[in-house]
Amino acid sequence: MRTQVGIIGAGPAGLLLSHLLHLRGIESVVLERRSREYVERRVRAGVLEQGTVDTLVEAGVGERMQREGLPHHGIELRYGGAGHRIAFERLVPGRCITVYGQQEVVKDLIAARLAAGGDVRFEVNDVAVHDAATDRPYLTFTEADGTEGRLDCDVIAGCDGFHGVSRPSIPEGVLTEYRRDYPFAWLGILAKVKPSSEELIYARTERGFALHSMRSPEISRFYLQVAPDEDLAAWPDERIWAELRARLETVPGFTLATGDIVERGITPMRGFVAEPMQYGRLFLAGDAAHIVPPTGAKGLNLAVADVRVLTEALARLFADGSTEALDGYSRACLPRVWRAQHFSWWMTTLLHTFESDDAYARRLQTSYLDYVTSSEAAGTTLAENYVGLPYQEETS
């Protein structure tokens, strides 16, 4: 086979890239290790920045999101027995977030690609990158039926996540990897229960952090700060709900609704960036290039930002043969990546408890929370980063 862009990974980054390229008349083939059912049911992020929403709408894949997504115009910071609302409509007028599950974005993108005759191949194994340093790279793989395949292309996009094959395909010594592992994890659950709040609640308590989120008017999403090596089996439903109540029912009049837990898991907390995000004709996007702790809700949104830049650069390449924008891809993406890294680190350290903290450190946290919730300038900084900074002309 031959195509213009070979894409590894059918997550939001790979699928959106394929769709945006299609709109520019550029061919691509997407290779995905998992089944279609698996990627459409994989629960991940659910908070979409304003720029992500705008991108999906402009690409013609936002109709269901606009109909079923939940726009939020603020979040609550809950600590010290009180709730404090960060009001987006006042601090960043005209910008908000939309709660719409990543798996729903994936479903919409797969439907759009298949409806347009796109080549998306699931259950593809043994994908390997070859000759990435040349202008004739190619991929080898094994189809679901065992047939061995080869895909020749002009460019390879590695959109296969943190544990994928793309980044390890880059020779040792080329990348500089920056990493921070946090001394806790998140225990996340999905429950069949109406949300107890109309907006997300970020709760800081002496027992640890908790987050009340949602996926729909009938489905709620919750997270608890736990030990990094926590055993999920040690958390039966009763213990999860008891701990959520202890961390969230800290303000007068708030009662947490409970229901059937339909999914649970433990997510490690880490920050990671690989620089540069490219090698020859291999370009990394999304989690293949960077990871953020989920506190700032930036992972999916950073993937969309990467793909926007990469699409413009590829459009220039195939329009007139210019490689200038492609050569500057990593340089264009990294400022936003590091801004998101800092914001995610800041939110994480502001709201979580650390075993190493003493009374002095805890008082510093409270002092800064008081500042954020009382200062117009500090609140605006949180709000504009949370809803997402406007896109710049990164490829210029």
Side-chain angles (χ1 to χ4, degrees):
M1 294 188 299
R2 173 157 186 86
T3 192
Q4 291 172 290
V5 182
I7 300 173
I8 310 173
L15 291 167
L16 180 59
L17 176 61
S18 179
H19 186 67
L20 293 179
L21 292 175
H22 164 72
L23 297 178
R24 299 294 189 93
I26 300 169
E27 296 178 350
S28 67
V29 174
V30 181
L31 305 178
E32 167 59 45
R33 181 170 64 92
R34 300 286 192 172
S35 68
R36 178 180 177 180
E37 179 184 22
Y38 180 90
V39 299
E40 289 187 339
R41 296 183 62 181
R42 179 170 48 193
V43 176
R44 290 290 188 273
V47 173
L48 307 185
E49 293 178 354
Q50 184 68 58
T52 297
V53 170
D54 295 343
T55 298
L56 295 174
V57 171
E58 291 164 5
V61 291
E63 180 181 353
R64 191 164 70 93
M65 173 193 65
Q66 290 180 298
R67 186 173 66 250
E68 300 178 10
L70 306 175
H72 285 202
H73 297 275
I75 59 172
E76 179 185 329
L77 301 182
R78 184 172 292 188
Y79 68 99
H84 307 265
R85 185 170 184 265
I86 305 297
F88 300 155
E89 72 273 14
R90 178 172 57 83
L91 299 170
V92 283
R95 300 177 68 79
C96 68
I97 58 149
T98 297
V99 174
Y100 188 66
Q102 174 175 306
Q103 71 275 22
E104 304 306 324
V105 174
V106 167
K107 290 176 187 175
D108 296 341
L109 287 168
I110 289 176
R113 294 306 304 121
L114 297 181
D119 193 342
V120 182
R121 304 190 178 203
F122 297 98
E123 300 181 79
V124 173
N125 295 303
D126 306 319
V127 175
V129 177
H130 303 273
D131 293 350
T134 74
D135 59 0
R136 294 184 178 181
Y138 67 96
L139 298 168
T140 56
F141 56 93
T142 304
E143 298 271 18
D145 63 3
T147 303
E148 294 185 358
R150 170 172 168 149
L151 178 64
D152 291 280
C153 44
D154 297 293
V155 171
I156 297 172
C159 306
D160 51 344
F162 184 74
H163 299 289
V165 303
S166 298
R167 192 177 66 254
S169 299
I170 297 175
E172 186 175 352
V174 171
L175 300 180
T176 300
E177 297 186 349
Y178 302 88
R179 178 169 182 147
R180 169 160 295 180
D181 292 295
Y182 292 85
F184 39 74
W186 274 12
L187 190 164
I189 67 166
L190 204 63
K192 287 185 177 180
V193 59
K194 181 180 178 181
S196 301
S197 169
E198 294 184 356
E199 296 179 336
L200 279 71
I201 302 172
Y202 287 78
R204 176 190 174 274
T205 75
E206 293 301 316
R207 303 175 67 94
F209 168 79
L211 172 62
H212 177 301
S213 184
M214 61 285 295
R215 287 295 178 268
S216 75
E218 296 80 31
I219 301 293
S220 296
R221 183 77 162 153
F222 300 95
Y223 295 98
L224 286 167
Q225 176 186 349
V226 296
D229 57 351
E230 193 66 68
D231 181 6
L232 192 59
W235 287 85
D237 292 12
E238 296 78 11
R239 184 184 178 190
I240 291 174
W241 288 121
E243 193 61 33
L244 283 168
R245 284 194 294 269
R247 300 188 195 186
L248 289 169
E249 291 182 348
T250 57
V251 298
F254 179 84
T255 301
L256 181 68
T258 62
D260 293 334
I261 297 176
V262 297
E263 185 170 314
R264 71 192 74 205
I266 292 181
T267 302
M269 299 282 282
R270 67 168 67 97
F272 174 85
V273 179
E275 294 187 20
M277 295 166 53
Q278 61 193 92
Y279 169 71
R281 286 294 181 95
L282 170 60
F283 298 85
L284 306 178
D287 287 0
H290 40 71
I291 293 283
V292 288
T295 324
K298 294 299 167 206
L300 169 60
N301 297 294
L302 274 183
V304 171
D306 291 346
V307 165
R308 286 174 58 99
V309 176
L310 188 53
T311 298
E312 293 301 321
L314 290 171
R316 295 188 189 183
L317 173 70
F318 293 116
D320 57 21
S322 171
T323 64
E324 182 180 359
L326 268 182
D327 293 341
Y329 165 71
S330 182
R331 190 168 55 252
C333 291
L334 283 170
R336 180 180 289 269
V337 169
W338 279 109
R339 173 87 296 276
Q341 288 284 336
H342 181 269
F343 178 67
S344 300
W345 166 85
W346 178 75
M347 287 282 284
T348 301
T349 55
L350 185 66
L351 295 164
H352 290 73
T353 58
F354 292 77
E355 288 187 1
S356 59
D357 283 355
D358 54 16
Y360 181 86
R362 290 193 293 273
R363 290 291 290 151
L364 287 178
Q365 276 185 312
T366 302
S367 172
Y368 207 98
L369 281 166
D370 288 342
Y371 176 54
V372 168
T373 55
S374 62
S375 163
E376 189 89 355
T380 300
T381 295
L382 191 160
E384 69 178 3
N385 280 273
Y386 198 91
V387 304
L389 299 176
Y391 292 127
Q392 305 297 322
E393 294 298 324
E394 290 107 332
T395 58
S396 63

